[in-house]
Amino acid sequence: MNLLELVDPNATDGVTLLRDRRSLRAALEPVRREGCSIGLVPTMGYLHDGHLSLLRAARAQCDVVVMSLFVNPTQFGPGEDLDRYPRDEERDLRLAAEAGADFVYAPPVEEVYPHGFSTHVEVEGELTGVLDGDPSRRGSGHFRGVTTVVAKLFNSVGPDVAYFGQKDAQQVAVIRRMVRDLDFPLRIEVLPTVREADGLAMSSRNAYLDIEARERATALSRVLRIAAETAPGEGLAAALDAARAELRVAGIEPEYLEARDAEDLSKVTELGDRPVLIAVAAHVGGARLIDNVVVKPNFERMT
Ligand code: AMP
């Protein structure tokens, strides 16, 4: 069977929208039977070029591309922005189609968490307890929400490759751990952070920024660049100090600005022989923004 025949020819813009697991499985069953590879791009929608870079990579590497579009309530804490999280499904479908998605899986909340739902997937320890997972910040419950929904998506879609962004470096570390620990038979691909021309990491939450906050938010990528450039010569502590000073100038008090081992997220004080993640989170205007840079052992900036 020709691959083109597997994709619903009546679908708008060449993308087929699916709302429930049964029709998702039914749609993917012939694809799998033909031995085609499936790429999954999990998103919460309100697509930007960061999401599109994942879709394009999936399009280039896999026979069939599935994008999930689900604003997952369980990864939002009380008082976070679940209710006002930006949404525009029509636009997302168009952009996903243009970037080469074959299927968009956009289930309602009840499909993912039916009445009686009570099972969770949790990566324990430092990976989920530091940075965003610190109890004074989003807390490890945020990552429990992420790993639970991603595990469900893996089970529903059965991808050969799943695509994630380096922008959410801790999420990547946590998901990699889950995939290894629970023997998910798939490969994780991580794509570099896509930025605006002035360095701001693209994020659906950038929509919350007014003009003044948008300008101030450029400080986050700027201080990461300063830190990455300072660390090799002057050490990590001096690099973090320089970054903090620059944040102060921009009037930004970070939630955290830390250097950690890029893989296990253990605290590091000196550059050694492993990549180091320098990560920042801050509230700017009405948005909580995160960004990071990885410094390689040979002191070359990676992203
Ligand atoms: P989200 O819709 O924010 O949950 O993001 C969905 C996926 O897109 C995640 O794997 C993110 O890490 C990734 N992503 C978000 N922003 C960017 C960006 N600026 N560059 C690359 N990937 C991104």
Side-chain angles (χ1 to χ4, degrees):
M1 191 191 283
N2 183 314
L3 183 60
L4 285 175
E5 294 166 23
L6 299 173
V7 178
D8 182 359
N10 300 318
T12 27
D13 294 334
V15 74
T16 301
L17 174 62
L18 302 158
R19 297 281 185 199
D20 63 276
R21 237 172 18 260
R22 264 188 65 192
S23 46
L24 175 68
R25 287 233 175 84
L28 292 178
E29 199 272 329
V31 169
R32 221 181 313 276
R33 191 155 18 89
E34 289 296 307
C36 296
S37 60
I38 300 175
L40 169 66
V41 180
T43 81
M44 298 206 299
Y46 213 68
L47 301 187
H48 51 66
D49 279 349
H51 299 113
L52 300 184
S53 74
L54 306 184
L55 285 168
R56 291 190 191 110
R59 180 70 283 156
Q61 296 173 3
C62 301
D63 296 322
V64 170
V65 176
V66 181
M67 181 184 94
S68 60
L69 196 177
F70 181 61
V71 181
N72 176 34
T74 66
Q75 70 191 70
F76 289 76
E80 290 188 4
D81 56 344
L82 174 61
D83 292 339
R84 64 180 186 124
Y85 196 83
R87 298 163 205 243
D88 189 342
E89 189 179 275
E90 215 178 292
R91 177 174 170 274
D92 287 345
L93 288 173
R94 186 167 42 78
L95 292 176
E98 284 169 13
D102 299 303
F103 299 100
V104 169
Y105 177 49
V109 172
E110 319 79 72
E111 174 70 16
V112 180
Y113 302 112
H115 180 70
F117 185 90
S118 44
T119 305
H120 299 274
V121 177
E122 184 161 10
V123 172
E124 294 176 337
E126 196 156 48
L127 277 181
T128 55
V130 301
L131 301 177
D132 271 14
D134 186 285
S136 68
R137 298 167 194 150
R138 303 195 80 180
S140 61
H142 162 67
F143 289 108
R144 189 171 92 144
V146 169
T147 42
T148 300
V149 82
V150 169
K152 283 174 68 82
L153 287 169
F154 287 172
N155 283 334
S156 300
V157 174
D160 298 278
V161 192
Y163 295 81
F164 295 90
Q166 174 64 22
K167 155 90 182 345
D168 297 274
Q170 186 171 16
Q171 173 171 282
V172 166
V174 171
I175 288 170
R176 279 193 194 285
R177 186 75 258 164
M178 176 188 80
V179 165
R180 280 197 294 264
D181 289 353
L182 296 186
D183 306 322
F184 281 103
L186 53 88
R187 191 175 92 237
I188 299 291
E189 277 275 325
V190 181
L191 275 286
T193 301
V194 176
R195 299 176 179 282
E196 303 285 357
D198 60 10
L200 178 68
M202 290 197 182
S203 164
S204 306
R205 290 189 167 97
N206 291 350
Y208 299 149
L209 300 169
D210 63 19
I211 291 174
E212 181 269 336
R214 169 69 187 73
E215 171 59 31
R216 272 196 312 131
T218 60
L220 296 186
S221 61
R222 201 162 58 242
V223 306
L224 291 172
R225 203 180 54 237
I226 290 171
E229 285 167 4
T230 307
E234 300 176 36
L236 277 177
L240 294 177
D241 284 348
R244 268 193 208 98
E246 181 72 17
L247 279 179
R248 256 195 309 278
V249 172
I252 294 173
E253 176 63 37
E255 250 188 32
Y256 61 75
L257 172 66
E258 291 185 40
R260 292 188 169 267
D261 183 277
E263 215 172 284
D264 64 20
L265 301 188
S266 59
K267 193 108 191 167
V268 290
T269 51
E270 292 301 337
L271 287 179
D273 55 2
R274 289 164 62 86
V276 170
L277 175 78
I278 303 179
V280 65
H283 287 269
V284 183
R288 182 183 186 276
L289 303 177
I290 59 171
D291 199 353
N292 68 82
V293 67
V294 175
V295 185
K296 267 204 255 185
N298 65 3
F299 303 153
E300 174 192 321
R301 197 150 51 92
M302 288 170 83
T303 55

